Amino acid sequence: MLRYWHSLSLQWKSALMLGLGLALLFGLFALIATQTLAQSTDAALQERLAHARMSARTVDDLIRHSRHQLESASLMPALRGGTLQEQTAAMHSAIHIIGSFNILRLLDAQGEVIWEEDSTLGENPMAQGDLSGREDVARVLATGETALAHVP
């Protein structure tokens, strides 16, 4: 190999050295570019993960807040033992206090809708429906307690 090198002219030696240098330089730049791209991708994924975690925390806080609002509203004396008119008035004021929900429904002891108010459409005195067949409603009805819950 060394004999072959000595037999080459200066022009060929320079061309080979230049080609080898360029190949080494391009290889080095390709390695650096690959590592930079991997770091950039990792940083973007970490940022997305941080945003997803922040969004999840915000949703969790909203759900906790809404649940607290419902629990507080369920302690209203009118809902615990008042007449239908008192319960309706309490729920009417509650929907404006509890801004997290679109619709509030008041069910009787058998699970039938006796009052409903939509936050955008207002009170619906014609609301009807038997929700006692739903598992979540039946579970609450079995306790005999007044409760507020999310019933879509």
Side-chain angles (χ1 to χ4, degrees), residues 51-142:
H51 286 294
R53 285 182 176 153
M54 283 190 306
S55 296
R57 274 194 301 272
T58 302
V59 169
D60 287 345
D61 289 343
L62 284 171
I63 290 171
R64 246 188 313 278
H65 178 70
S66 298
R67 183 175 177 180
H68 177 71
Q69 285 181 322
L70 282 175
E71 289 170 352
S72 297
S74 70
L75 298 175
M76 297 171 78
L79 290 178
R80 295 242 170 234
T83 64
L84 177 59
Q85 288 78 19
E86 292 171 336
Q87 289 177 336
T88 302
M91 293 299 284
H92 181 70
S93 66
I95 197 166
H96 299 293
I97 296 169
I98 305 173
S100 304
F101 301 95
N102 293 333
I103 298 175
L104 287 181
R105 293 185 181 115
L106 182 61
L107 308 180
D108 64 8
Q110 288 73 39
E112 293 191 23
V113 177
I114 56 174
W115 178 84
E116 175 180 283
E117 182 161 344
D118 188 312
S119 62
T120 56
L121 301 175
E123 186 176 341
N124 182 5
M126 304 304 286
Q128 298 177 8
D130 183 5
L131 300 179
S132 62
R134 292 178 48 140
E135 182 182 333
D136 52 349
V137 174
R139 198 174 323 122
V140 172
L141 291 174

Side-chain angles (χ1 to χ4, degrees), residues 15-78:
L16 283 174
M17 293 300 284
L18 181 64
L20 184 62
L22 285 175
L24 186 62
L25 190 62
F26 287 145
L28 182 64
F29 281 144
L31 179 66
I32 290 171
T34 303
Q35 287 180 343
T36 302
L37 188 60
Q39 280 183 330
S40 174
T41 302
D42 286 343
L45 291 175
Q46 290 298 324
E47 187 174 339
R48 281 182 149 180
L49 181 61
H51 286 294
R53 285 182 176 153
M54 283 190 306
S55 296
R57 274 194 301 272
T58 302
V59 169
D60 287 345
D61 289 343
L62 284 171
I63 290 171
R64 246 188 313 278
H65 178 70
S66 298
R67 183 175 177 180
H68 177 71
Q69 285 181 322
L70 282 175
E71 289 170 352
S72 297
S74 70
L75 298 175
M76 297 171 78

